[in-house]
Amino acid sequence: MWYFMRSRLGVAAAAVSILFIVAALLAPWLTPYADAGRGVPDLSIRLQSPSWSHWLGTDDLGRDVLARLLFGARTALVVAFGVVVLSVVVGVIVGAVAGYFGRWADEILMRVTDMFLAFPPLLLAVLVAAALGASLRNTVIAIAVSWWPWYARQVRAQVLSLRERPYVRAVQAIGVPRRRIIALHIVPNALSPVWVQATADLGAAVLTAAGLSFVGLGPRPPTADWGTMISEGRQYVLSGQWWIAGFAGVAIVLVAMAFNLAGDVVRDVTDPKTRQHLS
Amino acid sequence: MKFRRILAMLSILALLASACGDDDDDAVGEPTPLATEVPAGDSSGEGGSSPTEAPGEVGEAPDDTAPQEVETDQSAGRFVYASAFPFVDLDPSSAFSAEHIVLQNVYETLTRFNPPGSSELLSPGLAVEWESNDDATFWTFKLRDGVIFHDGSPFNAEAVRASLQRTIDLGLGAAYIFLPIESMEVVDDLTISFSLAWPAPLDLVMSSAFAAFIMSPESVGQDSQWFNEGNGAGTGPYIIESVSPNENVILVRNNDYWGGWSAGQFDEVELRIVEDQVLAEQMIRSGDADFTFNLPFDSYASLDGVESLSVVRSLSMTNLFGLLNNVRLSAEVREALVTSFPYQDVVENLYGGEATRAVGPVPQTVWGAADGSSLPQTDLNRAAAILSDAGVEDLTLTYSYDVGEVEQEQIGEVWKAGLAEIGVDLVLEPLTWDARWEIAQGDPASAQDIYTMFWYPTYVTPTDFLYSLFRTEEFPFFNLGYYSNPDFDVLLDSADATSGTDVDAAIEMFRDAQDILIEDHAAVFMLDVPSVSVIRADISGYTPNPAYANVVWFYDLRRTG
């Protein structure tokens, strides 16, 4: 916590991140328009500008934009954590196995990883999402498919150096099973760069998911989703109803930046070099 | 086709991403690649070079079009038509999608259907007069004299025969409109006669938006590829100069057009493909386009306030409906769906309040439409009762619609909310047209439950709506509710055969046939789609004609300002 406090930006980032998570978890209790948040239209109040009863206005189907944003935060939260957890799990397993066993296991796994890395991540995500069809689950899968190789590479590099360390040699010498060595002695020590990347990736996942939704590959309507709000609200900007796309855009920028900065803070905390420098 | 729209949006996204993503690059793997990978998508061979360029074109406008600067005493320069739909097949025999927007200006037909309100049903085109025998099985057309094709060859009865024969032989697209023709005979250089196998209004058929085009003898011998490279000689006022697939088609004036030319007409026309609705709206607002259509309906009210534009609202013969899967859904479920649809909500609130409720499968603007005496009313309680009486519980249904079509999605969301109140879960399935059409043509038992579709007539007849959408099909093509009812088929066939001789009797039969569809709840007949287009206010001569959806006859236009 001390390190977080050292930087005002870090504090702000942490605050926004926490606010985002709380908003997502408590969405139904934070707005009187929970039904609208879930997608129930009220055509009698379409496209109303921000007012006391609807702080951020209403959208093309008369739904409260604030409620849609709050429920959209749930979608974003699921995507962010879903993508990161999935990518980290797959990436760590592949990276650890490749790094520890080396030889043909390394060859095979790394060539597969290279195959995935050969595609630009967003394009690969678009292809996968288009192939699987639009849904929240598929959005998570699509992004995770393009992201796990980054983690695999990172973990493998760590494991390669760790496995030569004396303490690993020692546990090998006393006959600890390889599975235990990897799980208890190597992976935990290989994870610190992964945490940095994972934290920052939470924000990037929100951004990428918004991109997929924007091009029509996000969760199906009427699920509230920030990218979809921008894509559907875009047409109304020309006729002056800026608030649908506008506020969703602000939400995406804030959350993506907050997690990105939080990633920096985590790096400063976990990296011994910067830690010394800070203290 | 929609995939290219995705790439276009990706490039917009890349701009957003690069604008807000370059804060830190050593800890984060993603934001930086985001900005760099889009060019890779651009050149990935998905055929998408034009849409990815498109967003940039707004900014490049001044050196691109700017018709005002090109203006001379004699002509009005270049007219830019922004089309939401691509021109996929420019072969006049087989084109059957949106290509009539181009082809109607390049080729001509023997007759032309007049806009509603005209005193006559048809105008002369390449034929100047025509007559039939009493039972409409033998037709004679007298042709226009002094017409030549773009390639210099003379227009005559033999050219008409060869053109129609090519279309009939290929049997593609809308060629079915010529099914009644048994034989053609060239009587003299400017007279051709037709013997029909059964009575048909051949003069009406010849006004078709598709397939009835007359091309030069040299063109008749060519294949589709040749036409799609921008070749082909018709008799129309414009000649195709160049075709860039998925980008544009350029037309130049045919100086030898039989109608002659006068001051203020356009020398050149660019039909630019702009699939993204918002981009099209930006183009018409900024002056980069002179005409467009298919904008989001909520936009028209604010476009009304733009002085340099006129928003043209007209009758349409296009309707929107949801075909109900007659294989998967029982009669009770179909009835409940028809009863639950939010007709008034949709008509009054969506489509900018400009739509009208459908009276049945045929739009009210087309002769022979249902009389609207037995319209279903939205009644969720009754729908719930129908379902519970039938013992239907835990119903989950799929609603297949075009991704990116704003109104279809809004309709789906409103309907879903209503159905949720009576315990039915409507799952919205946005897909590209290609994808969902392919699914729908597969096994009906595992296909969608509701399939939304627009339809506009090939030539103006109720048959066109009823035949393609509801007549029994062994392999589903457009009958994507898989409706099959022998009584209906028989009635439709005899109504069509009667329409050549006794229109009043045919209308009665068409209405009876439509009543069968309504009673069977074959589909949810949602609404007749309003026809709204936007054209620059200083251009006169534009008369929308619902028989030729979205066609502008560029020859009729004059720049006045």
Side-chain angles (χ1 to χ4, degrees):
Chain A
M1 202 59 205
W2 167 247
Y3 299 104
F4 278 79
M5 299 300 280
R6 287 195 63 99
S7 138
R8 282 200 205 139
L9 265 181
V11 175
V16 171
S17 306
I18 291 168
L19 191 71
F20 161 66
I21 293 171
V22 169
L25 294 176
L26 300 182
W29 296 279
L30 291 176
T31 168
Y33 305 110
D35 278 347
R38 291 192 190 90
V40 177
D42 179 355
L43 296 181
S44 62
I45 51 166
R46 303 184 71 210
L47 299 171
Q48 292 192 350
S49 55
S51 65
W52 276 115
S53 47
H54 299 281
W55 292 356
L56 305 185
T58 61
D59 71 5
D60 56 322
L61 291 173
R63 298 175 298 208
D64 184 73
V65 170
L66 180 56
R68 296 293 283 172
L69 277 185
L70 289 170
F71 278 78
R74 311 193 117 190
T75 312
L77 187 74
V78 169
V79 170
F81 282 91
V83 166
V84 168
V85 168
L86 201 59
S87 319
V88 167
V89 167
V90 175
V92 165
I93 292 174
V94 171
V97 169
Y100 188 81
F101 291 100
R103 293 165 189 273
W104 58 266
D106 190 26
E107 275 302 313
I108 292 174
L109 289 173
M110 283 303 110
R111 290 302 79 76
V112 172
T113 309
D114 288 346
M115 260 170 51
F116 280 90
L117 283 173
F119 292 94
L122 185 59
L123 195 64
L124 182 60
V126 166
L127 289 174
V128 174
L132 293 176
S135 79
L136 187 55
R137 192 194 58 185
N138 292 344
T139 303
V140 171
I141 295 174
I143 303 175
V145 160
S146 59
W147 282 14
W148 69 266
W150 302 90
Y151 291 98
R153 279 266 171 206
Q154 215 160 29
V155 170
R156 173 179 170 274
Q158 291 287 317
V159 171
L160 276 180
S161 75
L162 285 173
R163 73 173 183 190
E164 306 300 335
R165 298 275 175 89
Y167 81 92
V168 176
R169 289 286 160 86
V171 288
Q172 281 169 340
I174 58 174
V176 177
R178 284 189 295 198
R179 236 182 334 169
R180 273 181 74 88
I181 298 178
I182 295 178
L184 294 181
H185 299 284
I186 291 192
V187 166
N189 290 304
L191 283 184
S192 69
V194 170
W195 295 134
V196 177
Q197 172 101 31
T199 313
D201 276 359
L202 287 173
V206 171
L207 197 62
T208 309
L212 289 184
S213 306
F214 184 79
V215 298
L217 294 171
R220 290 176 190 183
T223 309
D225 180 272
W226 295 347
T228 310
M229 286 174 79
I230 293 189
S231 140
E232 292 181 359
R234 197 169 66 102
Q235 67 166 93
Y236 296 101
V237 172
L238 291 178
S239 45
Q241 292 112 343
W242 53 271
W243 51 88
I244 308 170
F247 289 119
V250 169
I252 293 171
V253 169
L254 281 181
V255 169
M257 273 178 58
F259 278 116
N260 212 334
L261 290 169
D264 289 357
V265 174
V266 171
R267 181 191 54 196
D268 293 345
V269 172
T270 53
D271 187 337
K273 288 173 213 153
T274 49
R275 186 156 36 179
Q276 275 163 13
H277 181 69
L278 283 170
S279 57
Chain B
M1 168 187 345
K2 289 283 158 54
F3 191 78
R4 277 180 275 108
R5 173 183 292 180
I6 288 168
L7 286 178
M9 291 194 178
L10 270 182
S11 56
I12 298 172
L13 186 75
L15 293 175
L16 291 174
S18 58
C20 66
D22 54 357
D23 40 82
D24 193 335
D25 49 12
D26 53 342
V28 192
E30 298 320 312
T32 317
L34 262 182
T36 53
E37 69 206 21
V38 170
D42 194 2
S43 59
S44 69
E46 284 295 338
S49 69
S50 81
T52 38
E53 287 162 18
E57 283 171 6
V58 178
E60 297 160 12
D63 53 78
D64 196 354
T65 49
Q68 298 87 335
E69 292 169 18
V70 191
E71 203 166 348
T72 64
D73 296 342
Q74 281 304 308
S75 90
R78 173 186 269 213
F79 183 84
V80 179
Y81 179 115
S83 172
F85 307 132
F87 310 119
V88 180
D89 178 13
L90 292 170
D91 184 328
S93 291
S94 58
F96 195 27
S97 179
E99 296 83 5
H100 64 317
I101 295 169
V102 178
L103 300 179
Q104 285 284 342
N105 286 286
V106 176
Y107 301 90
E108 293 179 289
T109 50
L110 295 187
T111 62
R112 191 184 281 187
F113 196 87
N114 288 330
S118 312
S119 55
E120 298 285 327
L121 193 64
L122 299 170
S123 293
L126 287 175
V128 286
E129 53 189 79
W130 52 91
E131 59 185 15
S132 75
N133 62 354
D134 285 345
D135 63 355
T137 53
F138 187 84
W139 290 79
T140 306
F141 289 78
K142 290 259 181 227
L143 305 179
R144 193 175 290 278
D145 195 7
V147 177
I148 55 170
F149 287 103
H150 298 160
D151 60 10
S153 55
F155 165 80
N156 54 31
E158 176 52 30
V160 173
R161 193 204 60 78
S163 293
L164 297 181
Q165 193 62 51
R166 177 179 191 270
T167 302
I168 291 167
D169 289 347
L170 285 173
L172 300 169
Y176 65 84
I177 62 175
F178 296 125
L179 281 177
I181 295 179
E182 202 169 51
S183 66
M184 296 183 270
E185 195 193 342
V186 175
V187 179
D188 61 45
D189 197 42
L190 291 174
T191 311
I192 183 166
S193 65
F194 298 85
S195 303
L196 307 189
W198 59 84
L202 198 62
D203 52 347
L204 203 55
V205 171
M206 288 301 175
S207 74
S208 171
F210 299 92
F213 301 111
I214 307 304
M215 63 202 97
S216 76
E218 195 214 329
S219 304
V220 165
Q222 306 289 342
D223 60 5
S224 275
Q225 193 194 341
W226 185 79
F227 284 101
N228 285 314
E229 285 163 359
N231 300 309
T235 57
Y238 287 91
I239 303 170
I240 297 180
E241 179 172 82
S242 68
V243 176
S244 309
N246 302 320
E247 193 174 332
N248 66 10
V249 174
I250 308 273
L251 306 180
V252 292
R253 99 170 27 180
N254 165 19
N255 286 319
D256 301 325
Y257 184 57
W258 57 266
W261 291 90
S262 59
Q265 285 174 291
F266 288 90
D267 269 341
E268 198 172 283
V269 175
E270 177 184 6
L271 297 116
R272 195 185 303 174
I273 298 157
V274 184
E275 287 188 75
D276 185 74
Q277 291 179 314
V278 179
L279 182 58
E281 185 177 340
Q282 280 170 345
M283 286 177 64
I284 194 81
R285 279 177 186 270
S286 67
D288 292 343
D290 296 305
F291 175 93
T292 193
F293 65 100
N294 197 47
L295 297 182
F297 279 89
D298 282 320
S299 302
Y300 294 121
S302 89
L303 285 167
D304 276 329
V306 180
E307 219 168 86
S308 62
L309 299 176
S310 42
V311 179
V312 183
R313 295 168 171 82
S314 60
L315 284 171
S316 118
M317 292 181 179
T318 305
N319 57 2
L320 177 69
F321 41 85
L323 296 172
L324 300 178
N325 189 323
N326 282 262
V327 172
R328 283 169 59 87
L329 306 176
S330 67
E332 291 82 8
V333 172
R334 297 200 308 269
E335 185 181 358
L337 283 173
V338 168
T339 313
S340 68
F341 187 80
Y343 301 98
Q344 286 308 318
D345 265 354
V346 167
V347 166
E348 284 169 15
N349 293 304
L350 306 180
Y351 287 92
E354 299 182 22
T356 35
R357 234 198 108 163
V359 292
V362 177
Q364 292 155 74
T365 42
V366 174
W367 61 275
D371 57 11
S373 57
S374 57
L375 290 183
Q377 301 301 323
T378 312
D379 186 344
L380 288 172
N381 293 330
R382 206 169 80 77
I386 295 167
L387 290 177
S388 68
D389 287 352
V392 178
E393 284 175 359
D394 296 331
L395 197 56
T396 301
L397 302 170
T398 52
Y399 171 88
S400 167
Y401 68 99
D402 293 310
V403 64
E405 279 288 334
V406 176
E407 287 84 11
Q408 287 184 31
E409 179 166 303
Q410 291 174 336
I411 289 172
E413 293 195 52
V414 175
W415 197 5
K416 179 188 175 78
L419 284 171
E421 286 178 31
I422 60 170
V424 177
D425 186 15
L426 188 67
V427 179
L428 307 193
E429 281 193 338
L431 289 171
T432 61
W433 169 264
D434 298 353
R436 67 196 201 94
W437 197 21
E438 192 176 322
I439 293 169
Q441 288 177 330
D443 180 12
S446 58
Q448 77 293 327
D449 295 303
I450 302 160
Y451 193 96
T452 61
M453 207 196 297
F454 292 109
W455 196 264
Y456 48 78
T458 314
Y459 69 96
V460 182
T461 167
T463 310
D464 196 62
F465 290 82
L466 301 175
Y467 191 96
S468 301
L469 298 168
F470 299 105
R471 201 177 183 285
T472 306
E473 278 181 342
E474 189 179 353
F475 302 103
F477 190 71
F478 278 128
N479 181 353
L480 303 175
Y482 322 108
Y483 182 78
S484 175
N485 181 341
D487 294 344
F488 170 82
D489 294 351
V490 169
L491 193 53
L492 175 60
D493 290 350
S494 49
D496 188 44
T498 310
S499 66
T501 48
D502 185 347
V503 174
D504 290 335
I507 287 176
E508 283 311 307
M509 295 161 89
F510 278 125
R511 288 198 169 140
D512 289 345
Q514 291 173 75
D515 284 343
I516 295 178
L517 297 178
I518 293 169
E519 276 162 29
D520 279 354
H521 307 294
V524 177
F525 304 110
M526 300 176 176
L527 50 101
D528 292 355
V529 181
S531 166
V532 190
S533 42
V534 187
I535 189 166
R536 306 214 71 75
D538 62 354
I539 295 172
S540 67
Y542 171 55
T543 314
N545 186 335
Y548 306 90
N550 310 319
V551 169
V552 174
W553 280 282
F554 304 118
Y555 180 77
D556 297 342
L557 303 180
R558 303 279 189 286
R559 194 186 289 280
T560 53

